[in-house]
Amino acid sequence: MQSVVVTAYLALGANLGDPGAMLRVGRDALAALPEVEMTAWSGLYRSAAVGGPLGQPDYLNAVAAVRTPLMPRTLLEKGLEVEAACGRQRHERWGPRTLDVDLLFYGDEIIEIPGLSIPHPRLAARRFVLAPLVELAPDLIHPVYGKTVRQLLADLTDAPPVFRLTQAW
């Protein structure tokens, strides 16, 4: 039986150490995973920390598109392994981190099980996720809201700003 290959989108963020280097290491580690083909990645974006403790450094954020036959939970677990290899420690919710990898979309699936929600439950309210995602897939339709990610970004009126830094990273 042949596996179905799905396009998935992963958000990467970092605000500790050298965030740009951590994002490169994370991107390259994800691309090196067996059964994961990284097809594109956005430019880098800088944003203030959202939630969590006050006084955190700004984040660098990006989004990567991958094609994979891995099941969604397995893909998420691989992302968490990459986080751990980059020194990620989970001390507090929305705390500072060396690397964060979130599974945003897995094809057009809607999944709601313990430990896994797809599409990512907060992506529609996060400019720091939507702006880089729009670079890669502006017409991608959110299967819950029925809007493109470009429309979701345009609908944001009160989310903190993001600043595009560079394409090459």
Side-chain angles (χ1 to χ4, degrees):
M1 179 172 159
Q2 187 151 357
S3 298
V4 174
V5 176
V6 172
T7 297
Y9 294 90
L10 302 165
L12 291 83
N15 74 337
L16 290 180
D18 181 344
M22 281 290 103
L23 291 180
R24 284 188 295 278
V25 168
R27 177 197 63 199
D28 294 347
L30 290 166
L33 291 171
E35 300 189 273
V36 173
E37 175 193 3
M38 188 162 296
T39 59
W41 55 85
S42 71
L44 285 179
Y45 288 77
R46 179 177 301 282
S47 67
V50 174
L54 296 176
Q56 288 189 61
D58 286 352
Y59 275 83
L60 289 185
N61 301 285
V63 171
V66 300
R67 290 186 38 81
T68 183
L70 297 175
M71 297 302 294
R73 183 172 300 279
T74 303
L75 181 58
L76 177 61
E77 288 169 356
K78 297 291 184 187
L80 297 177
E81 289 171 9
V82 169
E83 285 182 1
C86 289
R88 170 79 188 265
Q89 297 179 7
R90 296 176 182 270
H91 296 296
E92 59 189 318
R93 185 175 176 136
W94 296 320
R97 57 205 66 179
T98 54
L99 182 66
D100 184 43
V101 178
D102 288 329
L103 179 53
L104 302 175
F105 287 101
Y106 184 86
D108 60 0
E109 290 196 32
I110 299 171
I111 301 170
E112 210 41 68
I113 57 176
L116 181 63
S117 295
I118 299 175
H120 190 283
R122 290 173 297 282
L123 78 88
R126 292 181 167 173
R127 190 179 311 273
F128 64 86
V129 171
L130 289 172
L133 182 58
V134 164
E135 278 189 37
L136 301 183
D139 298 320
L140 177 65
I141 295 174
H142 192 293
V144 174
Y145 297 123
K147 294 182 174 185
T148 66
V149 294
R150 180 191 342 244
Q151 290 169 315
L152 291 172
L153 180 59
D155 288 349
L156 284 180
T157 57
D158 59 353
V162 299
F163 305 95
R164 189 172 190 284
L165 300 178
T166 181
Q167 177 63 39
W169 58 280

